[in-house]
Amino acid sequence: MLELRNITYEVDDNNENKEILKNVSVTIDDHFVAITGPNGGGKSTLAKMMNPNIKVIGVEPAGANCMQVSLKNKKVTTLPMVDTIADGTAVKTPGSKIFPYIQKNLDGIITVEDNELIVCFLDMLENHKMLVENSGLLTVAALKHLNVKGQKVVSILSGGNMDMITFASLVQHGLIARSRIFTVSTLLPDKPGALMNISKIIADLQGNIIKLEHNQFVSINRNSAVELVITLEAFGPEHKQLIINTLAEHGYRPKEKMTTGIYN
C-alpha cells in the first residue's frame, strides 16, 4: 500500500508561484506506471522508494513494445519497426539511461493492442467527458489484463493532443467496435415498396439508418434480386443482434459486412 498525506505542490510560472496540489491525501493499493516513450524510470523509482512492496506494472502498445523486448533480452534493444496509433509511445529504442531503473523496479509489463485503445478512447470521451490521447490511455486499457476488482488502482492519464481527423476516425472505429454502428447486406426484389418494408422493420426496432447503398447489378434479373447495403446505428451488441435476427425472421437473409466510410 502507498499512502500520501497532505501533499502540496507549487510551480514557478513567470516568477509567480502557482499551487497545483493542496493538502491532497491518497491511499493506493496497486500503482500502475505507463512507460511513455523512453521514460518510466522516475515514477517506478519513486513508488519503490516509498514502498518496496508496491507492484509496478509497465504498459506499452503491442506494436511498439521496445521495453518488453529489451527486458527479455536483458539489454537495450532496437525494434526494426513500430506500428501503433499511440504515437507518443511509438519508439523503437528505450532510453539507455533509465533502462537499469526499469530492470530493477518493474514487476511486469503489459502490451495493449490498438483496438483496445480505440474502445478506451470512446469510453473516456463519452462516459467521463475526457479527451485523452492514445498513449495516455495505455494504463486504462491495461486494467482489463489484470485482476484488480475491489482494489484501489491508479491509472495515470496524460495528454490530449489530437488532430480532428484522428479524433473523427477514433470515434468512428470506437462506435463500430462497440456495435453501435454496423453494416448488413441483403437481397430484395426491385419493386415499389420493398425498401419501405425493410426500413419499417428497422424503424420498429429503433434502429437508425445512416447510409444506404442500392446495387442493381448483382443479378441479371433485377426483379428477382437487388443488393441493399445498410449502415445503421444501434444501442450495442444485443440491439444489433436483435435487428439482424428480426430481418432474418422476415426472410431477408442479412449478412454482416465491414463498416467503412461513415463520414464520406
Side-chain angles (χ1 to χ4, degrees):
M1 179 182 291
L2 176 64
E3 187 173 3
L4 304 176
R5 292 180 178 271
N6 302 321
I7 301 298
T8 300
Y9 184 72
E10 294 181 347
V11 295
D12 184 3
D13 183 19
N14 294 325
N15 297 320
E16 180 183 352
N17 290 334
K18 287 189 175 181
E19 261 186 352
I20 304 299
L21 300 175
K22 184 177 181 180
N23 296 329
V24 174
S25 298
V26 63
T27 301
I28 307 166
D29 291 326
D30 283 333
H31 187 79
F32 297 91
V33 180
I35 301 174
T36 305
N39 301 315
K43 299 182 187 73
S44 62
T45 300
L46 175 63
K48 289 293 187 179
M49 286 177 60
M50 300 186 73
N51 186 346
N53 296 320
I54 202 166
K55 192 175 183 181
V56 180
I57 306 294
V59 190
E60 286 185 305
N65 61 332
C66 62
M67 189 63 77
Q68 185 185 54
V69 172
S70 296
L71 289 172
K72 183 179 179 180
N73 294 339
K74 298 182 179 180
K75 64 178 182 179
V76 173
T77 304
T78 299
L79 299 177
M81 63 171 291
V82 293
D83 182 15
T84 176
I85 61 172
D87 53 345
T89 52
V91 294
K92 293 182 179 180
T93 310
S96 58
K97 291 184 178 179
I98 59 94
F99 183 67
Y101 297 97
I102 295 297
Q103 283 184 299
K104 179 181 178 181
N105 298 326
L106 227 60
D107 295 287
I109 191 162
I110 293 169
T111 57
V112 174
E113 300 289 344
D114 281 355
N115 61 343
E116 297 176 85
L117 294 174
I118 291 171
V119 172
C120 286
F121 172 83
L122 188 63
D123 178 57
M124 295 301 298
L125 188 66
E126 188 172 34
N127 297 324
H128 303 283
K129 314 306 177 189
M130 293 177 64
L131 175 60
V132 185
E133 64 186 74
N134 295 315
S135 296
L137 289 168
L138 286 167
T139 53
V140 178
L143 293 179
K144 292 187 177 180
H145 295 259
L146 299 165
N147 182 18
V148 293
K149 189 175 181 179
Q151 299 182 41
K152 292 181 180 178
V153 177
V154 172
S155 285
I156 301 171
L157 302 175
S158 64
N161 302 312
M162 187 173 297
D163 63 82
M164 288 297 100
I165 299 300
T166 301
F167 178 88
S169 178
L170 284 169
V171 170
Q172 174 174 310
H173 283 85
L175 291 171
I176 294 169
R178 288 189 162 195
S179 296
R180 300 268 297 281
I181 291 177
F182 69 101
T183 300
V184 294
S185 70
T186 186
L187 298 177
L188 68 162
D190 191 17
K191 296 178 180 179
L195 184 58
M196 182 183 69
N197 292 337
I198 192 171
S199 297
K200 185 177 185 306
I201 294 170
I202 294 171
D204 289 344
L205 295 170
Q206 294 187 299
N208 183 39
I209 297 173
I210 56 177
K211 187 177 180 181
L212 281 175
E213 296 178 39
H214 190 259
N215 182 7
Q216 296 180 333
F217 301 106
V218 295
S219 172
I220 296 175
N221 182 6
R222 74 182 214 189
N223 289 322
S224 172
V226 295
E227 183 186 38
L228 185 67
V229 180
I230 314 168
T231 300
L232 59 156
E233 290 178 304
F235 300 132
E238 293 181 359
H239 187 215
K240 165 187 162 182
Q241 198 58 50
L242 173 63
I243 294 172
I244 292 175
N245 291 344
T246 304
L247 289 174
E249 290 169 4
H250 283 77
Y252 285 104
R253 292 187 295 177
K255 295 180 180 179
E256 190 173 354
K257 299 186 68 173
M258 181 179 293
T259 303
T260 58
I262 298 173
Y263 300 118
N264 289 351

